[in-house]
Amino acid sequence: MKKKAEKGSGTQGGNGTATETGLAAALAPLVAGMTATRASLLDWVHGQGVVALQEVFAAEAESVAGPKGQHQAERTHHHWGTTATELTFGGRRIQVARPRVRSTEGQEAQLPSVEVWRERDPLAARVLEQILLGVSTRGYAGSLEAAPAGVASRGTSKSAVSRTLRGRVTTALAAQVGQRLEGREWLALFLDGVVIGGQTVIVGLGLTRDGEKVPVGLRLGSTENAVVCTELLQDLLERGLTITERVLCVIDGGKGLRKAMQDVFGTAVVIQRCQVHKARNLLALVPKARQVYVGAMLRRAYRAGTADAARRQLKALVTWLEANGHVDAAASLREGLEETLTVLKLNLPARLRRLFATTNCIENLIGTVRHLTRNVKRWRDGAMIRRWVGLALGRAATRFRRIKGHGELSTLAMALRTVKASEAAA
């Protein structure tokens, strides 16, 4: 019975495979027909588009020089044959024959539609769109529809796409990094670094009184050292960043970032250390068997209702770590302990406390940078890194929304005004 059952099972499996194969074979002609129909439709649309362009050119030439073959006593322009004109079509540059028109004085006259087409030039926008969708410069040509039949085209090679992208991104980067920052009330700054092409890029994200997130700048360096961070912060001030009372700065705990903020802003800065980074660093110094207990104690402390309660629980955890021989972990928790409790000292609402307790806000921005630069295999220099990071910042900025709880930011503004100078410099 057992062998018969196994044989029957195998027969059923075989019939299922045969049925799937037969279905795939039956659908293959349908899929091939749909593909052929799509290709034919695109060819027809492209062909009609080129014909329509030529008809527009011919109509404009006639409006300027009059109908061909008809005498005009007061003619100001003459038809002068045709020439190949390069325009952007379907994400590439194609050559289209257009009529030439010259004035009676021998000056070349430009057709209005040609001038308008060249001025708006959608090629750079199409290249940028494809790159943002994850297409590499090498794969750009393959991501486009087929070119119109019988029409010469160019502008889809890797080098051509790179040149177009470089020009567009350089302009966008200058506008992004050089934007003026005055006229807004800034309540918080998030700063963090990301390694791109072997160099550390320090990125700044600002939060306004209205709850808007704005990428405010970037700097390249070998590490997150104080010199690079200081240059970034000074650049923000030069571009009009205005701090009326104090500003909340959220960092991951890097000493270079902290020193730069205190050097540039002095007592006007209130520092919040990322609680997630602090927990991650602490758990790395604790044996795996005790990580669950330590992690639970940290979460309980950071969720306490007041800073005093959280401080007592964290100090108790420090004592426990020392008593159990985890001296390095205890020292790590003790270092910067007060700065991890800033959101509790400010007595912020729950939603704002969750937002400012970590660097998740800027980590999402850095995630966009990593995602967009993943296809770059060879970094030539720092200028190239700046272009790509600037492109990612601009991309992320278009997707930003106001933070949750932005209506409660008046609480943060009031807390920053009333916080003690000793706490601000702690």
Side-chain angles (χ1 to χ4, degrees):
M1 292 296 292
K2 183 177 180 181
K3 292 184 178 179
K4 185 175 181 180
E6 289 177 353
K7 183 176 180 181
S9 176
T11 303
Q12 291 176 0
N15 290 339
T17 303
T19 302
E20 294 174 358
T21 304
L23 180 62
L27 291 178
L30 177 61
V31 174
M34 294 172 62
T35 303
T37 301
R38 179 179 182 276
S40 300
L41 179 61
L42 286 175
D43 289 342
W44 181 81
V45 170
H46 285 170
Q48 293 300 313
V50 173
V51 171
L53 280 176
Q54 293 173 333
E55 289 179 352
V56 169
F57 294 157
E60 289 186 347
E62 185 172 326
S63 66
V64 174
K68 285 185 177 181
Q70 295 184 12
H71 177 72
Q72 291 182 340
E74 299 180 355
R75 182 186 297 275
T76 59
H77 291 79
H78 298 279
H79 292 279
W80 208 265
T82 61
T83 186
T85 297
E86 198 171 75
L87 302 173
T88 300
F89 189 89
R92 54 171 58 84
R93 297 197 185 280
I94 64 171
Q95 289 187 352
V96 180
R98 69 165 178 84
R100 294 179 64 189
V101 177
R102 302 186 73 175
S103 65
T104 53
E105 289 81 13
Q107 301 295 325
E108 189 81 15
Q110 296 294 336
L111 301 182
S113 60
V114 175
E115 290 300 307
V116 172
W117 197 290
R118 285 175 173 171
E119 286 178 1
R120 72 184 187 91
D121 191 8
L123 180 61
R126 180 63 182 271
V127 169
L128 185 60
E129 177 186 359
Q130 296 296 97
I131 297 299
L132 290 175
L133 290 175
V135 178
S136 65
T137 54
R138 293 182 183 276
Y140 175 77
S143 69
L144 302 177
E145 299 85 2
V151 177
S153 65
R154 71 176 185 88
T156 60
S157 66
K158 175 184 177 298
S159 57
V161 172
S162 297
R163 286 193 298 270
T164 303
L165 183 65
R166 186 185 306 117
R168 177 62 179 263
V169 173
T170 300
T171 304
L173 178 62
Q176 178 72 36
V177 177
Q179 63 176 318
R180 301 299 301 175
L181 302 176
E182 62 265 341
R184 300 180 181 180
E185 184 179 354
W186 300 94
L187 292 183
L189 287 175
F190 296 80
L191 281 93
D192 204 355
V194 57
V195 178
I196 301 293
Q199 295 193 46
T200 299
V201 184
I202 310 298
V203 180
L205 178 69
L207 181 70
T208 68
R209 176 64 177 78
D210 299 327
E212 295 181 355
K213 295 179 289 186
V214 182
V216 292
L218 62 92
R219 267 297 189 278
L220 267 68
S222 56
T223 59
E224 292 184 17
N225 59 69
V227 176
V228 177
C229 300
T230 299
E231 291 177 354
L232 173 59
L233 295 177
Q234 289 176 340
D235 178 64
L236 301 184
L237 296 177
E238 291 175 357
R239 290 193 283 118
L241 182 73
T242 303
I243 300 175
T244 55
E245 297 289 342
R246 290 187 177 89
V247 61
L248 178 62
C249 293
V250 185
I251 60 176
D252 61 1
K255 294 182 179 179
L257 287 174
R258 188 182 188 282
K259 184 179 185 304
M261 288 179 174
Q262 291 183 330
D263 289 345
V264 176
F265 295 134
T267 57
V269 63
V270 180
I271 296 178
Q272 166 65 42
R273 292 272 292 270
C274 177
Q275 295 175 356
V276 172
H277 281 83
K278 173 58 73 174
R280 188 181 304 159
N281 296 337
L282 178 61
L283 293 178
L285 300 173
V286 177
K288 188 173 182 180
R290 292 179 173 174
Q291 288 180 359
V292 174
Y293 173 76
V294 174
M297 293 295 291
L298 273 178
R299 288 191 296 272
R300 179 183 174 187
Y302 289 145
R303 292 173 183 173
T306 64
D308 291 336
R311 188 181 297 108
R312 286 194 301 269
Q313 295 178 34
L314 291 177
K315 288 183 177 180
L317 181 56
V318 169
T319 302
W320 181 88
L321 289 171
E322 291 176 338
N324 286 272
H326 309 304
V327 181
D328 291 340
S332 175
L333 180 56
R334 189 182 294 109
E335 189 272 328
L337 184 147
E338 290 296 328
E339 291 178 350
T340 62
L341 304 179
T342 301
V343 290
L344 289 171
K345 297 176 185 177
L346 295 175
N347 196 25
L348 299 180
R351 284 188 294 187
L352 295 184
R353 186 187 304 176
R354 288 194 298 269
L355 173 70
F356 293 113
T358 70
T359 56
N360 288 348
C361 194
I362 196 171
E363 290 288 349
N364 292 333
L365 175 62
I366 289 179
T368 301
V369 174
R370 291 195 179 100
H371 178 77
L372 191 59
T373 58
R374 71 192 188 281
N375 287 331
V376 181
K377 306 303 180 185
R378 179 168 169 254
W379 296 99
R380 291 182 175 84
D381 50 31
M384 182 180 180
I385 296 175
R386 282 177 57 84
R387 287 196 299 269
W388 278 90
V389 175
L391 176 62
L393 296 183
R395 172 68 166 179
T398 61
R399 299 182 174 184
F400 281 161
R401 299 292 183 269
R402 288 199 293 180
I403 64 169
K404 293 181 180 180
H406 58 84
E408 300 174 318
L409 284 174
S410 58
T411 306
L412 173 60
M414 180 65 68
L416 290 174
R417 283 195 293 267
T418 59
V419 67
K420 297 179 181 178
S422 59
E423 295 180 355

